[in-house]
Amino acid sequence: MTDSALPTTSREWRLLSRPVGWPKPEDFELAEAEIRQPGPGEVLVRNAYVSVDPYMRGRMSAAKSYVAPFELGKAMQGGAVGEVVASGAEGVAVGDHVLHFGGWREYATFDAKQAVKVDAEAAPLSTYLGVLGMTGLTAYAGLLRTGSFKEGDSVFVSGAAGAVGSQVGQIARLKGASRVIGSAGSDEKVKLLVEEYGFDAAFNYKNGPVAAQLREAAPDGVDVYFDNVGGDHLEAAIGSLNEKGRIVICGMISVYNNTEPAPGPKNLARLIATRGRIEGLLVGDHYDLQPEFVREVGAWVRSGELKYRETVVEGIENNLEAFLGVLRGDNTGKMIVKL
């Protein structure tokens, strides 16, 4: 079944060359592509919202990583949520809303098995890309499973006003943390962390050395550090880590555009004395937590106990600028492009 009023072409972003350092507009193009009608088992989706995320910078490089690089000259990929406008798949009807990875484009045709139905009545569609989507599950799994959070822990989060960080801090608070500390890149974001998200303390990392500001904010040390930044934040967290403290490495946005390897923390030896643990986090390892996550976090969102912000940019033509904005830290909460 299909919508007869559909256009025949769709705009999509393509990677033309692999960026060195900061991505430049000439590394990309916004191209017209023919819309392919779905075959058996496939669906055609009109995207309503698409996601831009820091990890996408890694996919622009050819280096081997946990996810395949974007192919040059082909449409890029990313999280998206939209409406099914044509279906050749059993169990997926025109009018259904689905979450999928055919982002960076207006229309996407793909195997229906790669889509997850979402309820547009239960929550705004955009939330399935953020607070109830991959970034939310990253926060939930990273804190509770990778970080082995337990009631009474003191938690420090870097990039705390971002989509993942803001949720980590609030989940820690709702789960009984003794103290929640966040760092952010502006005084306005620091105020948001304390006044809206309920962090016990927060600081602007641009206002002075991170290690000194963290010691002041967490005089009794840190049990769990959730790292979105790397660099001086990671070194500061190691310096304030309590005995048997845990460090969750989710992202290192401070080094993504470096052209030379960034030096590691100078104080790693402190992990011997603290018996501290550092562990990397990939959300793809934790999809088994999805039902529990949606149930628990969805209830907090509906009750207003867990608050979220979205930075919404209008128009597919602004998708690249929205992505660069994430790397600059322009967003508060989840950065989303509305089509």
Side-chain angles (χ1 to χ4, degrees):
M1 195 173 169
T2 186
D3 181 343
S4 58
L6 286 177
T8 57
T9 61
S10 165
R11 289 180 292 174
E12 63 184 31
W13 281 94
R14 297 171 182 169
L15 186 66
L16 297 182
S17 56
R18 303 206 179 276
V20 176
W22 273 87
K24 301 181 293 297
E26 52 266 34
D27 294 324
F28 308 84
E29 73 167 344
L30 181 59
E32 289 268 342
E34 188 175 331
I35 294 175
R36 184 173 65 80
Q37 290 300 313
E42 292 185 322
V43 291
L44 170 61
V45 174
R46 179 195 294 123
N47 286 333
Y49 297 93
V50 301
S51 178
V52 287
D53 302 280
Y55 82 87
M56 294 172 173
R57 177 62 185 86
R59 296 196 68 185
M60 294 172 189
S61 300
K64 189 174 180 181
S65 184
Y66 60 89
V67 62
F70 291 131
E71 291 185 61
L72 294 180
K74 299 252 182 102
M76 290 157 60
Q77 299 160 315
V81 64
E83 182 181 355
V84 176
V85 293
S87 177
E90 282 187 35
V92 185
V94 170
D96 285 347
H97 291 92
V98 295
L99 174 67
H100 61 96
F101 280 92
W104 289 79
R105 69 199 84 182
E106 293 173 306
Y107 287 81
T109 306
F110 51 88
D111 189 328
K113 293 192 181 86
Q114 296 170 354
V116 177
K117 282 191 192 180
V118 296
D119 187 350
E121 302 295 320
L125 277 179
S126 60
T127 62
Y128 293 104
L129 294 176
V131 68
L132 294 179
M134 186 175 72
T135 52
L137 180 59
T138 300
Y140 188 85
L143 177 69
L144 302 181
R145 179 177 278 173
T146 309
S148 305
F149 171 85
K150 60 186 184 299
E151 189 176 347
D153 278 344
S154 171
V155 177
F156 171 43
V157 189
S158 58
V164 174
S166 60
Q167 210 156 332
V168 171
Q170 291 185 83
I171 293 171
R173 174 176 56 78
L174 289 163
K175 289 280 194 180
S178 61
R179 191 165 178 80
V180 179
I181 305 106
S183 74
S186 74
D187 293 340
E188 183 183 16
K189 289 180 179 180
V190 166
K191 186 178 179 186
L192 173 73
L193 292 176
V194 175
E195 295 184 1
E196 187 167 329
Y197 294 155
F199 281 60
D200 295 292
F203 59 86
N204 182 346
Y205 66 84
K206 296 174 182 174
N207 287 349
V210 174
Q213 293 196 79
L214 178 58
R215 279 194 300 271
E216 185 178 342
D220 295 323
V222 171
D223 298 302
V224 179
Y225 169 49
F226 196 103
D227 189 16
N228 291 303
V229 174
D232 55 357
H233 281 74
L234 177 56
E235 191 166 294
I238 293 171
S240 284
L241 202 65
N242 287 334
E243 189 174 300
K244 296 192 176 172
R246 287 85 68 203
I247 293 175
V248 181
I249 305 292
C250 177
M252 291 194 172
I253 200 167
S254 70
V255 303
Y256 286 168
N257 292 308
N258 287 6
T259 55
E260 297 292 329
K266 298 192 293 289
N267 57 349
L268 275 175
R270 192 170 185 276
L271 293 175
I272 301 168
T274 61
R275 278 81 89 203
R277 169 166 64 85
I278 299 180
E279 185 173 340
L281 165 67
L282 288 181
V283 67
D285 295 338
H286 304 284
Y287 283 137
D288 61 298
L289 290 177
Q290 180 82 19
E292 175 190 324
F293 155 71
V294 171
R295 190 166 53 248
E296 187 165 26
V297 175
W300 285 332
V301 170
R302 285 191 294 276
S303 69
E305 292 174 276
L306 192 147
K307 302 181 181 353
Y308 67 94
R309 290 279 190 99
E310 294 173 340
T311 300
V312 180
V313 171
E314 299 262 354
I316 188 71
E317 63 277 8
N318 294 313
N319 218 89
L320 176 58
E321 182 54 32
F323 168 70
L324 296 175
V326 169
L327 297 184
R328 290 191 300 261
D330 293 352
N331 57 304
T332 299
K334 183 76 185 77
M335 181 74 91
I336 291 170
V337 180
K338 181 180 180 181
L339 306 191

